[in-house]
Amino acid sequence: MIHIGIYNEHKLMGTGLAAILEQVPDFDVLFCTENKDKLMVFAQNGNLNILVLAIHDTSVRTMNLIVRLSLINPKARLLVVSFDNSEETIIKIVKSKAKGVLGREASKKELIEAIYTLRNGFDYFTSSISQMVLNQYINKLETPENKNEGLDSLSERQIEVLRLWGKSYSNQEIADELFISVRTVDAHKNHIMQKLQLKSMVELVKFSIKNNIIEI
Amino acid sequence: MIHIGIYNEHKLMGTGLAAILEQVPDFDVLFCTENKDKLMVFAQNGNLNILVLAIHDTSVRTMNLIVRLSLINPKARLLVVSFDNSEETIIKIVKSKAKGVLGREASKKELIEAIYTLRNGFDYFTSSISQMVLNQYINKLETPENKNEGLDSLSERQIEVLRLWGKSYSNQEIADELFISVRTVDAHKNHIMQKLQLKSMVELVKFSIKNNIIEI
DNA sequence: TCCTTCTATAGGTGAATCACCTAATTAGGC
DNA sequence: GCCTAATTAGGTGATTCACCTATAGAAGGA
């Protein structure tokens, strides 16, 4: 008997998952909740084998939730079902201690397969996802020099310029604010673009949002 | 016997909904798909009474899908299950010809109740949602002048330009893509900025992200 | 210590874009 | 028929972008 818990912010969908799993004789659904606090209590159950987490975003809160769950009950293995199966999201989930990941294209059969696999002590990733992870790994190998793509590679001054620019300041306004020449502001932006390998201002805005420099 | 069709981009969740509905003796699940093209074919089935649509975003594409579905088979009443139950989203869904809306907090019982209600010719909205709609209606009365702040105020062409620009296309590239002059592209962007009362490109990117024109 | 690398600063130049306009044509609504 | 909006495109000057170069200082390694 495999004891399973379900968490889904979308209550109806959680109930749906439960309905699927209850069809399998080996499976026993211990709980199914859309409430985070209740989840934290239920998750401490010593009998719990598998915890199915359906997530709808990849916010810091959500990722922290996964980490916390893996800490409060290491015996319960985490199976994350994610609607968003972009490369970025998958990497985030894998990093956050999940033992298995299913994407939006997963089938009922795959869900059941994944649970058995996790129960047997192995990790499970949907084929499309494992391919993705592999690609990511290969890319890492191919660039021995870490591209240093993140915020860390930027200097304080560069971030400051980016921050003001993100507030819709013009170059002139930024220059006035920082008591430097407009050309310097321009140079800073150029250096940032070069360093981050971005093609356009649109991508720079996206980067800034991802890194919490610009609020949306 | 109520004949039901299910569409959910998240295949697993669609299967889950099917599992719930199959437990009800009165219900007959005709199909359950995550494929838009197949949905379009299945939806034409004359026997179809209820079409359950689980949606994960409120992009123009998704809303158009709802409208199209209501047109190709007016007999099949649409029940939309939305993860996002913000006021904005609900209004969009209601506008798009859906006969019923369920939010993320809906229960299995409510789903079944909603289907019976729709079958009987009435509309169904979760309580939290109907309250919201009411509030919105009151607000509308209070502001006779439509603010027209959103995506709706933009023309198809303007959205198209915005979409390409959001893909980091330069004005010249957009012009080539759409077979128009660079100046026209520029004019479109100016009109967009004016209409939306945006101060900078940064704000335009934010707007585009909020409205699912740019993916992040 | 010297050498290298990174950073902050600022300038040059030409192309592209922005921010203001005007304006013709067309389509839709009242 | 009139009015409004959309699409198209051009003018002009300011601003910014995308390439460079260049200097002074700081940090770090051989």
Side-chain angles (χ1 to χ4, degrees), chain B residues 155 157 181 183-184 188 195:
Chain B
S155 69
R157 197 59 158 177
S181 149
R183 313 308 310 281
T184 308
H188 278 306
K195 203 187 276 182

Side-chain angles (χ1 to χ4, degrees), chain A residues 25-177:
Chain A
D26 286 351
F27 292 175
D28 168 41
V29 177
L30 288 179
F31 63 87
C32 175
T33 183
E34 77 282 356
N35 183 300
K36 257 184 196 136
D37 299 326
K38 285 184 185 169
L39 170 67
M40 284 304 172
V41 178
F42 292 154
Q44 295 174 31
N45 188 324
N47 292 324
L48 192 63
N49 300 124
I50 305 288
L51 185 48
V52 179
L53 289 178
I55 65 170
H56 301 270
D57 66 296
T58 52
S59 61
V60 181
R61 252 189 308 280
T62 303
M63 292 302 134
N64 283 345
L65 178 69
I66 300 179
V67 174
R68 255 185 299 155
L69 285 170
S70 70
L71 291 176
I72 65 172
N73 190 348
K75 275 177 64 189
R77 292 170 70 83
L78 292 174
L79 176 58
V80 174
V81 183
S82 169
F83 176 70
D84 175 10
N85 51 9
S86 68
E87 207 157 333
E88 226 174 315
T89 302
I90 300 309
I91 299 299
K92 270 192 186 175
I93 297 172
V94 173
K95 271 185 187 166
S96 69
K97 308 277 187 190
K99 300 300 178 195
V101 184
L102 291 176
R104 76 164 79 163
E105 74 294 337
S107 65
K108 176 175 158 180
K109 196 177 155 192
E110 216 174 339
L111 170 66
I112 295 168
E113 177 73 20
I115 291 177
Y116 277 120
T117 308
L118 256 65
R119 176 65 178 135
N120 291 334
F122 300 103
D123 293 355
Y124 187 98
F125 300 96
T126 332
S127 56
S128 64
I129 288 177
S130 59
Q131 191 59 48
M132 229 179 250
V133 174
L134 198 62
N135 285 340
Q136 188 75 9
Y137 183 65
I138 290 169
N139 284 337
K140 278 265 170 64
L141 287 182
E142 278 173 352
T143 55
E145 193 70 47
N146 281 6
K147 275 195 238 161
N148 231 353
E149 286 185 327
L151 195 57
D152 300 336
S153 63
L154 297 184
S155 69
E156 283 296 317
R157 198 60 160 173
Q158 288 168 344
I159 292 175
E160 183 64 13
V161 170
L162 199 50
R163 199 180 58 77
L164 292 174
W165 177 73
K167 284 168 132 186
S168 301
Y169 282 41
S170 72
N171 282 5
Q172 188 56 62
E173 287 172 322
I174 296 171
D176 293 344
E177 181 88 13

Side-chain angles (χ1 to χ4, degrees), chain A residues 155 157 180-181 183-184 188 195:
Chain A
S155 69
R157 198 60 160 173
I180 54 178
S181 148
R183 312 309 310 278
T184 308
H188 277 305
K195 203 187 276 184

Side-chain angles (χ1 to χ4, degrees), chain B residues 189-202:
Chain B
K189 283 209 279 183
N190 280 325
H191 291 154
I192 292 169
M193 298 286 284
Q194 257 182 1
K195 203 187 276 182
L196 299 175
Q197 292 284 303
L198 301 178
K199 278 181 301 192
S200 70
M201 290 301 117
V202 175

Side-chain angles (χ1 to χ4, degrees), chain B residues 18-35:
Chain B
I20 293 175
L21 296 179
E22 276 160 0
Q23 290 170 356
V24 182
D26 285 350
F27 291 175
D28 167 41
V29 176
L30 287 179
F31 63 86
C32 174
T33 183
E34 78 283 357
N35 182 301

